[in-house]
Amino acid sequence: MSDRYTPQELMVAAAAREIADGDLVFVGMRLPILAYAVARSTHAPRARALYELGLLRDWPAEAFLGTMGDPPNVAGALWSTRLSNVMGLLAQGLADLGFLGGAEVDRFGNLNTSYIGDFRQPQVKLPGSGGGADIAILSRRWVTLLSHERRRLVDRVSYVTSPGYGDGSQGWRRRQGLPGGGPAAIVTTLAILRFPPGGGEAHLDSVHPGHSVEEVRAETGWDLQVTPGAGETPAPTREELEQIRKFDPEGFWTRPA
Amino acid sequence: METGKVMTMREAVASFVPDGSSVAMGCCLEPLVPFAAGHELIRQRRTALNLIGPISDSLFDQLIGAGCVARVTAAWVGNVSEGLGHNYRRAAESGQPNPLEIRDHSNFSIALALWAAAWGAPYLPTRTLLGSDILLSNPDLVAGDGLVRVGALKPDVTILHVQRADAAGRAHAWGPLGVAEEAALAAGRVILSCEELVDQEVILSDPNRVLVAETKVVAVVPEPGGGHPAPVQGYWRRDHAFMRDYATRSRTREGFLEWLQEWVLATPDRAAYLGRLDDTERLRIRQHRLSAPVDYGDE
């Protein structure tokens, strides 16, 4: 097996490390499905996964999943139910961690997956929230995964599908009545950005091997501040790569775009 | 076997889904998407539909591109494994083939909207969507006093694909159910398509598994493979390659129209559609995992 890895494989490994053992994880689509499988097979053997269409699992499905509703994800489930039951657990604050993707994220962690430009006359219509807004508002903490490009990491998103820390002011989420804790990190193809405790603006926390702080700042649409002591993101371990390639043998999700 | 509500998809759509209907589909999210029903709506040239659903995979995109849709009330419209819905983009961005009104939801809020209707309530309160601009792009969502009031959403008709049903309209569906129960309970009427039409003894041996009261169901359409390319637990895998081909060909309006001609307009029904697929055997599930029976003994 090659130790060379794609940016997406590093993102999966980094996302997997956000999962603590025993977490109830609200798993989204694409890379987070793999991240859960890696975490469960390595450092988090007691984690459990909720899938919004109505599933609870412990062991990840052995077969490749194109969607969370593929038959191998249902066979062997701990619970197969309706969406509102799973969302109800989320609304009670019982999901420790959620994952989100998006077309655009801003310095305060707000995500746009709906409209580029004015929503009444959009330049680009994106697919929409799905369960994304629910995870952002209701989960205890969440992590965003996206490709690091200047047009995607913007100063302010044009439409807030899934709120992070709003306008970035202290206590914004509490004042708006959002029950969940908000975004913890943004994992990109170049770096990991983190938010300070209590929320606010994302800072550069680590740069992926082979990339520089200057490159990351140049590809970010705001004046990205660097956390003192920011270092290099650990490369995926051999064990993590083995697990990623077991669950995505053809590289459907992890080959470079 | 009594024929009861059994009919063809052509008859069901002609009888129960007039132009301008609000139609809930794709209610289980990725599995059990009633593609065969959607294609019949296109063949019968339905117009001004209001499509309701959480995540429809590529079905809503196809109906929008075919010019059947005036409004979408949904959490997500695209292609789950491939991303963007190109017809959805063209309609929302440039009014092609016709302008489209969009009422945004999240998955949770559309479930609550359907439960409100299912329970005869005007709205249900929730804290989800606080702080989201979805509140700006859907007049059915009203925020105040730290809560969002999600207005009831009552589809004229809900169309579900299920594993098996009887002629009286009692459905057994299994696997994750998404918003199927509330969409069926909320609807004015329900159309079922099923992999297998079975005797009522089979269905009534397990009444806990019946999805919705038969009184809501107006049509039962035996339609094996009616969910393709969506998966059906115990019957069909998801056809990822077909989804990818659709995503590629629908990038342009011309490419979509060719796809539509090939797979919908020039294909009279689902049996002919399945005949056009290269190899349906690769998609059939062969390794069955039967659940243990339950005991309804009463004396």
Side-chain angles (χ1 to χ4, degrees), chain B residues 268-286:
Chain B
D269 55 26
R270 184 73 2 178
Y273 170 103
L274 293 175
R276 295 188 78 103
L277 286 169
D278 290 339
D279 180 13
T280 52
E281 293 312 300
R282 79 191 151 88
L283 298 169
R284 272 185 210 281
I285 287 174
R286 298 279 177 209

Side-chain angles (χ1 to χ4, degrees), chain A:
Chain A
M1 188 190 78
S2 169
D3 286 331
R4 295 185 58 178
Y5 55 87
T6 68
Q8 287 73 23
E9 286 177 324
L10 176 58
M11 289 170 78
V12 170
R17 295 170 198 154
E18 296 292 322
I19 299 171
D21 196 17
D23 272 0
L24 184 59
V25 183
F26 207 97
V27 180
M29 263 298 296
R30 300 168 179 259
L31 298 185
I33 287 187
L34 289 177
Y36 176 75
V38 171
R40 189 67 172 67
S41 309
T42 56
H43 66 273
R46 292 178 301 141
R48 291 189 182 185
L50 285 170
Y51 299 85
E52 62 193 309
L53 79 173
L55 289 172
L56 176 70
R57 288 195 70 90
D58 52 1
W59 283 103
E62 291 282 325
F64 167 80
L65 298 179
T67 77
M68 63 179 80
D70 285 12
N73 208 36
V74 180
L78 302 179
W79 188 31
S80 179
T81 184
R82 59 184 74 99
L83 176 139
S84 54
N85 282 343
V86 170
M87 288 293 183
L89 295 180
L90 181 69
Q92 292 175 58
L94 297 175
D96 297 295
L97 174 66
F99 286 107
L100 292 176
E104 278 189 336
V105 65
D106 70 19
R107 67 200 299 165
F108 304 124
N110 304 299
L111 271 176
N112 177 15
T113 56
S114 300
Y115 302 91
I116 305 289
D118 185 338
F119 71 83
R120 296 168 201 86
Q121 192 59 53
Q123 293 164 312
V124 181
K125 180 70 193 89
L126 302 164
S129 163
D134 307 311
I135 296 169
I137 292 161
L138 301 171
S139 67
R140 294 170 68 91
R141 64 192 282 270
W142 50 279
V143 171
T144 300
L145 289 91
L146 87 170
S147 176
H148 204 131
E149 301 163 44
R150 202 176 169 84
R151 68 188 175 96
R152 294 184 181 278
L153 282 84
V154 298
D155 186 52
R156 298 301 299 274
V157 291
S158 50
Y159 180 100
V160 177
T161 311
S162 303
Y165 297 110
D167 60 12
S169 62
Q170 196 69 33
W172 181 87
R173 287 181 67 95
R174 185 171 35 79
R175 287 197 304 281
Q176 297 287 322
L178 280 64
I186 303 172
V187 176
T188 77
T189 41
L190 300 179
I192 298 176
L193 282 54
R194 287 193 188 277
F195 295 89
E201 181 175 326
H203 287 58
L204 179 59
D205 192 71
S206 69
V207 179
H208 299 343
H211 300 283
S212 67
V213 171
E214 292 69 35
E215 181 189 1
V216 172
R217 282 172 48 85
E219 286 295 329
T220 303
W222 70 88
D223 183 17
L224 178 65
Q225 303 299 303
V226 182
T227 304
E232 189 172 82
T233 311
T237 64
R238 199 174 174 83
E239 187 185 19
E240 287 167 337
L241 286 176
E242 277 173 10
Q243 292 299 324
I244 292 167
R245 290 166 193 176
K246 175 179 158 193
F247 290 103
D248 187 23
E250 308 293 325
F252 190 89
W253 301 118
T254 53
R255 90 171 83 78

Side-chain angles (χ1 to χ4, degrees), chain B residues 239-250:
Chain B
D239 192 345
H240 306 306
F242 192 91
M243 291 286 192
R244 172 155 289 188
D245 180 63
Y246 174 75
T248 304
R249 294 177 65 182
S250 62

